[in-house]
Amino acid sequence: MKKMTKPQAKNRIEKLKSQLQDIDYAYYVLDKPIVSDAARDSLKKELEKLEKQFPEFVTPDSTTQRIGGKALDKFEKVRHKAPKYSFGDVFSFEEVLEFDRKVKRFLDLPMDGDIEYTCELKIDGLNITLIYKKGVLDKAVTRGDGFIGENVTHTVRTIKSVPLKLKKEIDIEVGGEVYMPQASFKRLNASGKKSGGQIFANPRNAAAGTVRQLDPKVAAERDLDCFIYSIYSGPQKTTQEETLRYLKNLGFKINEHFAPVKSVGEIKKFFDRVAKIRSELDYEIDGIVMKVNSIGLQKKLGRTAKHVRWACAYKFTAEQATTVVEDIQVQVGRVGTLTPVAHLKPVRVAGSTVSRATLHNMDEIERLDVRIGDTVILQKAGDVIPDIVRVLPKMRTGKERKFKMPEKCPVCGSAVVKRMIMKGDERVNKVNTVVNKVNKLGVDKALKQRETVAYFCSNLNCLAQQKESLYHFVSRPAFNIEGLGPKIIDQLLNEGLIKDASDIFTLTQGDLKPLERFAEKSADNLVKAIEASKKVELGRFLYALGIRHAGEETAITLANHFAGLEKLKKATGEELARAKDIGSTVAKSIYEWFQNEKNLKFIKYLLKNGVKIKNPEKVSQKLAGKTFVLTGGLQGLTRDEAKQRIRRLGGDVSSSVSRETDFVVAGSEPGSKYDKAKKLGVKVIDEKEFLQMLRP
């Protein structure tokens, strides 16, 4: 046979690759084989032979390159271009209805109207991001902590339903779920049991463990699969339904069990249908996901600090099991709160072994009447968080013991004190969420029902509080010092190198190198990370201080409202309470924190040791004293961006229209606020006029 020329070989290789991609797409994505396995193997062998003869024509999108290269020594860390936010969870249709109401309230839509959602299955797998450049797979990254993931391209390439080359030469970043089919999971565990190898608790753990293999050959031996459902960057569609169909046309495998629904009532019907077919699926699901169908509305809804506002997961009823409470011990948090934790006889629930469950507070212990030695029903809320839901009194032998909160801190031995707080640290100014109770019970009784007794260690220098405060200080929403985790902090405390967070910024290579697990390079890396963290936004700085009730969003609100640390330090309780969403309880906590001389010295040491605070930008005060209400959709900027720009110019934003409102900004399809503004004679402006006002 005449030997091929290079141009002929290149042409033949391209045609073989294209044909094999079509065959694999039909088999692994559409589940509709178009040729026999023997025919596919024959084509692949021919391709392998030609690529061996002409290695210069081997490309990453070739079927032969799904498994290639040496095993890695470690995973490369990859920072996501945009943070990956999770969905909030709901467990009943009543919560679904409340989610729908929140969406309508945020969008200023009538409560009796309908919003179109797209319902999808919630695959119980490993979240993955796939990045394509000119249609060729460039990188696969795990979700990680939402900000930084791991590069697992070498293992994800072995998943045959993940296209190495798309049907269009585009740049796109997509998201989905890697999972292990039930049949593959059973084969893997059977093989592990026979060989004395690893046994996985559930398919999700098996999928996660496989993706994070350093050797792609190990991953290739396990049968993983992948559904794609999101576009993070690249060509955008107008609805989630269109997005799914577009992804399918590009060559991705999507889950066909999705449906657009015209109203929230249809979500329950979809959920019930899925519950019936759940056991027939060859992959695990733990509920459904409902997403606002319009991508435009999704962008307007945005996100909170933790979750997106335009979607939530409607979870199946949690799996339950019974076990015995062997002991109840307390943990000490960063603000000294003592939290009772049940130590359980280990039991498997929802595919994993559970040995501990939080009891939250004494109110919960008394409500459940749980005692040491009790047999209890345990469930994993959303198949994740272990929770004791019920005690079985008939199982008692008489030897059970009631739990009493210790009089002394179990860590430092200091006295334990009791305080009345709002349940869940809820803010007093949000009592309107129990308006029905207020109407029935009266304000005093309703507020009392939201109060609980909490127990605290009285020693502000308690080692447990000190550690938890330090863990919080260096965490991602705060100073985000990469490489400085709990184990290193414990080591620094034990060696006497730090006493509080301000000492972190004085550490040198010489301090760190003598420590166990530290070498010159790791010491240098940590010192560089500490140095890089010294420049910090005011909101993150305030959050890092760990002020009680001042969570991430509250810290950002304070930063934007006061625009500087000195102004905040001098603020009275009344001035603090005037900031948006800062009620009297939160204001009191913040005011008292800044009145404490020890806290002020701590801030002084932070600044002395090189911390530089970046204040929010305020261009001018041209809108000072003006209150705005936003209604309808804005085209040029999101609602959050509009609020930020108003506040930067000194203005205030309100959620309701009154005679005190100065301007109502009416976008497309304005709601009832527009009508109320007209009725009250409040000035209504359109988006064009609004944008002119925002100019410095």
Side-chain angles (χ1 to χ4, degrees):
M1 184 177 178
K2 189 177 178 180
K3 187 177 179 181
M4 280 189 181
T5 64
K6 281 192 175 184
Q8 289 173 330
K10 183 179 181 181
N11 183 55
R12 182 65 178 174
I13 286 172
E14 289 300 322
K15 289 189 177 299
L16 284 167
K17 287 193 300 182
S18 178
Q19 181 63 70
L20 282 164
Q21 285 164 2
D22 288 346
I23 291 169
D24 285 352
Y25 177 71
Y27 187 90
Y28 295 108
V29 177
L30 301 181
D31 198 23
K32 294 178 180 178
I34 56 176
V35 300
S36 67
D37 288 348
R40 181 190 182 278
D41 290 343
S42 178
L43 291 170
K44 188 178 178 184
K45 284 178 182 177
E46 183 185 350
L47 178 60
E48 288 172 343
K49 185 177 179 180
L50 283 172
E51 287 181 338
K52 189 174 182 180
Q53 290 176 344
F54 300 92
E56 62 267 37
F57 299 138
V58 177
T59 56
D61 61 319
S62 174
T63 303
T64 63
Q65 300 304 300
R66 284 198 178 274
I67 310 166
K70 298 179 180 179
L72 301 181
D73 295 324
K74 61 180 181 179
F75 292 103
E76 173 197 1
K77 300 292 184 183
V78 178
R79 182 175 293 278
H80 294 295
K81 289 182 180 178
K84 307 300 183 220
Y85 294 97
S86 57
F87 300 136
D89 295 335
V90 298
F91 300 95
S92 68
F93 188 59
E94 288 71 23
E95 291 177 285
V96 172
L97 292 172
E98 177 55 29
F99 168 78
D100 181 64
R101 286 191 288 268
K102 285 180 180 178
V103 169
K104 289 172 182 172
R105 281 197 295 270
F106 194 91
L107 295 173
D108 290 324
L109 297 176
M111 287 294 133
D112 56 354
D114 289 325
I115 292 178
E116 188 172 273
Y117 294 93
T118 292
C119 293
E120 304 170 37
L121 304 192
K122 188 175 184 305
I123 312 300
D124 194 12
L126 178 74
N127 185 270
I128 200 75
T129 295
L130 304 179
I131 302 168
Y132 288 79
K133 293 184 178 179
K134 293 185 178 179
V136 177
L137 178 63
D138 178 65
K139 201 168 287 183
V141 185
T142 62
R143 181 183 184 278
D145 61 4
F147 295 87
I148 295 177
E150 292 177 327
N151 186 341
V152 289
T153 314
H154 64 298
T155 52
V156 172
R157 289 178 64 86
T158 70
I159 304 173
K160 295 183 177 66
S161 58
V162 172
L164 300 179
K165 185 177 183 179
L166 303 179
K167 295 184 178 181
K168 292 185 179 181
E169 293 186 1
I170 57 172
D171 292 346
I172 193 170
E173 182 176 326
V174 301
E177 207 82 9
V178 172
Y179 67 94
M180 181 172 284
Q182 297 276 21
S184 305
F185 172 68
K186 290 174 183 176
R187 285 196 301 269
L188 179 62
N189 269 358
S191 175
K193 188 174 182 180
K194 186 177 179 180
S195 63
Q198 185 175 4
I199 304 297
F200 291 95
N202 52 54
R204 187 193 182 283
N205 287 354
T210 301
V211 167
R212 296 192 75 259
Q213 287 289 322
L214 292 169
D215 189 348
K217 292 180 181 178
V218 176
E221 293 170 357
R222 302 175 183 179
D223 188 18
L224 292 180
D225 215 328
C226 181
F227 289 124
I228 299 297
Y229 46 71
S230 294
I231 297 176
Y232 295 134
S233 67
Q236 296 291 324
K237 298 299 166 181
T238 58
T239 67
Q240 175 63 13
E241 181 187 6
E242 288 179 18
T243 296
L244 291 169
R245 300 195 190 283
Y246 178 70
L247 287 167
K248 182 177 180 179
N249 291 335
L250 284 176
F252 292 109
K253 183 174 183 177
I254 66 166
N255 191 289
E256 298 289 352
H257 294 284
F258 72 90
V261 298
K262 298 294 184 183
S263 67
V264 68
E266 292 182 34
I267 293 173
K268 183 67 165 64
K269 294 178 183 178
F270 182 88
F271 181 85
D272 291 341
R273 287 198 303 271
V274 170
K276 288 179 181 178
I277 66 167
R278 183 184 184 187
S279 60
E280 301 169 12
L281 300 173
D282 190 33
Y283 45 86
E284 288 199 343
I285 61 173
D286 54 1
I288 68 169
V289 177
M290 50 188 193
K291 304 175 182 177
V292 171
N293 196 27
S294 166
I295 302 299
L297 292 182
Q298 288 183 13
K299 290 178 179 178
K300 288 178 184 177
L301 286 160
R303 59 172 179 82
T304 65
K306 295 182 180 179
H307 307 298
V308 296
R309 291 193 182 95
W310 46 266
C312 74
Y314 184 7
K315 296 289 195 72
F316 294 126
T317 303
E319 185 178 329
Q320 296 185 339
T322 58
T323 186
V324 175
V325 178
E326 296 182 330
D327 197 6
I328 297 177
Q329 299 180 9
V330 295
Q331 290 181 344
V332 184
R334 64 181 171 85
V335 293
T337 314
L338 270 60
T339 302
V341 177
H343 289 241
L344 310 168
K345 182 179 179 181
V347 61
R348 287 183 63 78
V349 188
S352 61
T353 301
V354 174
S355 59
R356 293 187 183 187
T358 179
L359 289 165
H360 305 290
N361 50 46
M362 283 302 297
D363 279 1
E364 183 71 357
I365 290 176
E366 290 169 4
R367 183 185 71 79
L368 292 167
D369 189 25
V370 61
R371 307 175 189 182
I372 298 169
D374 266 339
T375 299
V376 296
I377 295 175
L378 183 76
Q379 78 174 20
K380 294 180 76 178
D383 295 341
V384 177
I385 305 166
D387 197 17
I388 293 174
V389 294
R390 186 182 165 198
V391 172
L392 300 177
K394 288 188 177 181
M395 299 294 291
R396 286 176 176 161
T397 63
K399 295 182 180 180
E400 292 76 18
R401 293 177 290 119
K402 287 191 174 185
F403 170 77
K404 290 185 178 180
M405 194 65 76
E407 295 180 357
K408 293 185 177 181
C409 172
V411 177
C412 70
S414 300
V416 170
V417 296
K418 292 191 292 185
R419 298 179 199 156
M420 292 297 296
I421 64 167
M422 298 297 289
K423 289 181 180 177
D425 287 342
E426 294 167 280
R427 301 171 185 173
V428 173
N429 65 321
K430 288 192 176 180
V431 73
N432 58 341
T433 59
V434 287
V435 67
N436 292 331
K437 278 191 175 183
V438 173
N439 291 338
K440 291 179 181 179
L441 304 173
V443 175
D444 290 342
K445 195 170 182 181
L447 280 171
K448 190 174 181 180
Q449 285 196 355
R450 290 165 63 82
E451 291 181 334
T452 186
V453 174
Y455 293 78
F456 296 84
C457 170
S458 60
N459 177 15
L460 296 177
N461 297 314
C462 175
L463 180 61
Q465 294 182 55
Q466 188 181 18
K467 285 185 177 181
E468 292 293 336
S469 294
L470 282 165
Y471 301 160
H472 171 81
F473 187 91
V474 302
S475 66
R476 182 166 301 284
F479 270 77
N480 184 23
I481 304 179
E482 196 169 333
L484 188 54
K487 289 183 179 179
I488 302 298
I489 286 174
D490 291 350
Q491 197 175 7
L492 294 172
L493 284 169
N494 293 337
E495 295 292 336
L497 291 173
I498 61 172
K499 293 180 181 178
D500 62 33
S502 67
D503 293 331
I504 291 171
F505 300 100
T506 66
L507 292 171
T508 64
Q509 268 193 1
D511 295 325
L512 298 172
K513 278 199 298 185
L515 301 179
E516 187 180 351
R517 295 196 298 271
F518 270 95
E520 185 172 342
K521 187 175 181 181
S522 55
D524 182 53
N525 288 340
L526 182 52
V527 169
K528 285 180 179 177
I530 292 170
E531 186 63 30
S533 73
K534 286 182 178 180
K535 292 181 180 179
V536 61
E537 292 90 351
L538 178 58
R540 287 172 52 207
F541 179 85
L542 295 174
Y543 177 69
L545 296 178
I547 304 170
R548 186 169 184 79
H549 302 302
E552 187 177 358
E553 288 194 40
T554 299
I556 292 170
T557 297
L558 290 169
N560 289 335
H561 185 83
F562 290 96
L565 182 61
E566 290 305 313
K567 191 174 178 182
L568 176 60
K569 283 163 61 176
K570 296 173 183 176
T572 64
E574 292 77 13
E575 289 171 333
L576 286 162
R578 282 200 289 270
K580 183 174 172 56
D581 289 336
I582 306 294
S584 58
T585 300
V586 183
K588 183 173 182 287
S589 176
I590 296 164
Y591 176 76
E592 289 177 349
W593 196 94
F594 281 107
Q595 296 306 301
N596 186 303
E597 190 61 32
K598 182 181 176 182
N599 295 335
L600 295 178
K601 283 184 179 179
F602 173 60
I603 291 176
K604 182 179 178 181
Y605 289 137
L606 285 171
L607 300 177
K608 182 181 177 182
N609 292 339
V611 172
K612 297 186 184 299
I613 300 171
K614 182 180 178 182
N615 293 327
E617 292 181 10
K618 276 198 174 182
V619 183
S620 73
Q621 290 292 300
K622 65 178 291 187
L623 299 182
K626 304 297 183 184
T627 300
F628 291 75
V629 172
L630 306 173
T631 182
L634 301 176
Q635 302 301 314
L637 67 173
T638 66
R639 184 164 294 206
D640 281 344
E641 288 170 344
K643 290 177 180 178
Q644 288 174 9
R645 291 182 66 175
I646 290 169
R647 288 170 182 148
R648 281 177 192 163
L649 295 171
D652 290 317
V653 183
S654 176
S655 59
S656 59
V657 180
S658 71
R659 296 187 186 278
E660 305 301 316
T661 305
D662 294 289
F663 300 99
V664 169
V665 182
S668 59
E669 300 181 14
S672 58
K673 294 175 184 178
Y674 175 86
D675 298 329
K676 190 172 182 181
K678 289 291 188 183
K679 186 178 179 181
L680 294 175
V682 174
K683 186 171 183 180
V684 178
I685 59 176
D686 60 19
E687 184 174 354
K688 184 179 179 181
E689 191 175 352
F690 173 59
L691 291 174
Q692 288 176 341
M693 293 180 71
L694 294 180
R695 290 176 181 171

